[in-house]
Amino acid sequence: MIRISAIMLGLSLAGITAAHAVDTAKLAIQEELPVGRATGDYPAPPGWDKLPEGEFGEKIIRGYNYFVNTQALAPEFVGNGLNCVNCHMDGGKKENAAPLWAAYMSYPAYRKKNNRINSYEERIQGCFLYSMNGTPPEHMSPVLVDLSAYAYWLAQGTLTGEQFNPAEMAIPGDEDLLKGGKRDDFPFTQGYLNAGGSADFKTPGRGYPKLPEPEQAPDIARGKQVYKQECAVCHGANGEGQKVNNRYVFPPLWGPDTYNWGAGMQRVNTAAYFIHQNMPLGQPEKLTEQQAWDVAMFLDTHERPQDPRNHGSLEETVEKFHGGYSQYGKEVNGSVLGTASYPNHPNKP
Ligand code: HEC
Ligand code: HEC
């Protein structure tokens, strides 16, 4: 399959304000995704030459721009220095970096823990609340609609493959667009159906592929060595990232301006999976699996913004939402993680 690299399309649009209406309790659980191991065989997302014409094409471009330039285009929903693309690499297209084409077709998703169904929109709102340490845009807000249009197009194009003809892609209403593609009435393209595609498909490359349990327990001191050697050159000696003209060119990994204690990336295992496939930048699987676990442990035993679900009791928040590989609430170097956390949605300087 052909891969056509993305071109930058300039376009700007202000988001909308007022976001208190989001029921964040619904977004409470950042569960691990049910993903497998890396396999080496992945479909290719569509290039910009497959952009549909007209209004829907513009929605897609705006969604792409929100995704890669969240700071500038949707600042009212963002409380840190990150952009979506920092963790969903290559504009959300790269396999094994939680690509949007696989994500879109995995919602609505049933969540056992809170016995409810999460839409694609709610999953994005979750990333605004935790990964972006922000205030999620409310239901149906243009930012969410545009982000969903971008993911919908990537999903349709990726499923259909080289036969993809954007002119024959159905254009859903906003309400449907926000649900995600895993629904009985999803309008598959004729090209996909002709090629034998069905509603029963797999999404290889989804999420960050699991690593086996580490041989040795992840170790902060070893992780620190890996960090110094492989990461500090870009992310800074203290995980603070690097700015040019007041914008991060290398995103921060801990401290006040990065993902908070409710984000998926604060789980050491999720960070290890991400790092093994995606870091150091452009060198997938450079680190051994053990090194990925160790450096993930090092990152995620530093203070960051508070878990927004913490309403005063650290113990209760740990009990309800943490556990497994989360280090929140654990004592490291004489201080308990989560007791000196930074604010949520801090005002931007
Ligand atoms: C700090 C890293 C980070 C940032 C920034 C981030 N995300 Fe995520 N995102 C994650 C992680 C981690 C997961 C869950 C992966 C897991 O648990 O395996 C996730 C999951 C998702 C999913 C669901 C993926 C799937 O396959 O089910 C979507 C959609 C998503 N994010 C969209 C966004 C959008 C839109 C933004 C920007 C508003 C954003 N993310 C910003 C880390 C991030
Ligand atoms: C050559 C520079 C470079 C090196 C070296 C590097 N990174 Fe990154 N890292 C980046 C860039 C750039 C991004 C954002 C990617 C994007 O936007 O496409 C990033 C993103 C990340 C993220 C997700 C975003 C965030 O702020 O949390 C994590 C976690 C991360 N890197 C960890 C590491 C670790 C651990 C190492 C060392 C093993 C490392 N990086 C080495 C450049 C680098």
Side-chain angles (χ1 to χ4, degrees):
M1 288 197 190
I2 330 160
R3 255 168 215 266
I4 303 158
S5 67
I7 46 165
M8 297 292 285
L9 295 171
L11 228 172
S12 75
L13 209 237
I16 57 149
T17 41
H20 302 294
V22 178
D23 177 3
T24 51
K26 283 202 206 163
L27 317 174
I29 294 165
Q30 289 295 88
E31 262 174 15
E32 276 180 60
L33 301 178
V35 295
R37 304 268 175 89
T39 63
D41 193 15
Y42 309 103
W48 287 118
D49 60 325
K50 296 287 178 92
L51 191 68
E53 285 178 9
E55 225 176 279
F56 198 70
E58 277 163 33
K59 259 187 186 167
I60 294 169
I61 294 171
R62 285 199 304 267
Y64 166 78
N65 280 307
Y66 280 128
F67 199 80
V68 299
N69 201 4
T70 330
Q71 289 292 317
L73 302 179
E76 63 275 45
F77 306 120
V78 177
N80 62 19
L82 303 186
N83 294 309
C84 307
V85 69
N86 292 159
C87 303
H88 302 272
M89 324 255 310
D90 190 17
K93 292 187 292 181
K94 186 182 167 294
E95 70 277 352
N96 300 330
L100 301 178
W101 40 266
Y104 191 79
M105 298 311 291
S106 307
Y107 296 84
Y110 175 68
R111 284 178 154 186
K112 230 191 322 192
K113 276 193 192 162
N114 50 356
N115 191 29
R116 65 182 305 280
I117 291 173
N118 271 164
S119 65
Y120 186 73
E121 177 187 43
E122 286 165 331
R123 191 63 185 82
I124 304 181
Q125 288 175 322
C127 266
F128 272 105
L129 181 62
Y130 302 109
S131 295
M132 307 296 286
N133 191 35
T135 309
E138 62 187 307
H139 173 55
M140 294 285 280
S141 87
V143 179
L144 298 176
V145 171
D146 293 346
L147 282 167
S148 301
Y150 176 50
Y152 169 81
W153 169 68
L154 286 177
Q156 288 279 25
T158 306
L159 276 175
T160 310
E162 284 177 44
Q163 306 305 315
F164 182 49
N165 173 5
E168 63 138 46
M169 181 177 75
I171 295 180
D174 291 352
E175 195 90 48
D176 276 348
L177 205 52
L178 293 165
K179 290 177 187 162
K182 197 177 171 188
R183 52 191 172 89
D184 293 341
D185 53 350
F186 184 75
F188 290 106
T189 66
Q190 203 53 49
Y192 174 72
L193 298 172
N194 291 348
S198 77
D200 181 23
F201 52 83
K202 292 208 161 59
T203 51
R206 184 180 175 201
Y208 308 116
K210 273 196 167 52
L211 293 174
E213 290 294 303
E215 273 170 28
Q216 298 171 270
D219 179 79
I220 299 176
R222 281 198 310 264
K224 188 175 181 177
Q225 287 312 310
V226 177
Y227 186 81
K228 274 190 183 163
Q229 258 171 35
E230 303 285 353
C231 321
V233 59
C234 295
H235 291 286
N238 297 304
E240 72 279 25
Q242 287 188 51
K243 282 182 173 174
V244 171
N245 293 332
N246 214 28
R247 299 276 299 276
Y248 283 107
V249 285
F250 298 117
L253 304 182
W254 65 87
D257 219 10
T258 189
Y259 56 93
N260 67 39
W261 278 118
M265 200 64 90
Q266 64 77 34
R267 283 191 304 264
V268 173
N269 56 330
T270 300
Y273 306 161
F274 168 83
I275 291 164
H276 191 245
Q277 286 298 323
N278 296 292
M279 292 291 140
L281 190 68
Q283 300 184 74
E285 300 187 17
K286 180 186 182 194
L287 301 188
T288 64
E289 292 178 1
Q290 185 68 48
Q291 283 177 317
W293 281 102
D294 291 341
V295 76
M297 180 60 111
F298 176 67
L299 300 189
D300 285 338
T301 44
H302 283 91
E303 277 293 1
R304 52 189 63 263
Q306 186 55 268
D307 187 330
R309 300 165 298 192
N310 180 331
H311 301 297
S313 164
L314 183 65
E315 289 71 31
E316 196 185 315
T317 315
V318 168
E319 165 80 26
K320 269 169 103 170
F321 304 113
H322 291 260
Y325 272 110
S326 172
Q327 300 298 303
Y328 184 70
K330 307 236 166 94
E331 188 179 324
V332 173
N333 298 330
S335 109
V336 176
L337 294 167
T339 56
S341 301
Y342 300 94
N344 291 126
H345 207 174
N347 289 328
K348 299 249 158 155

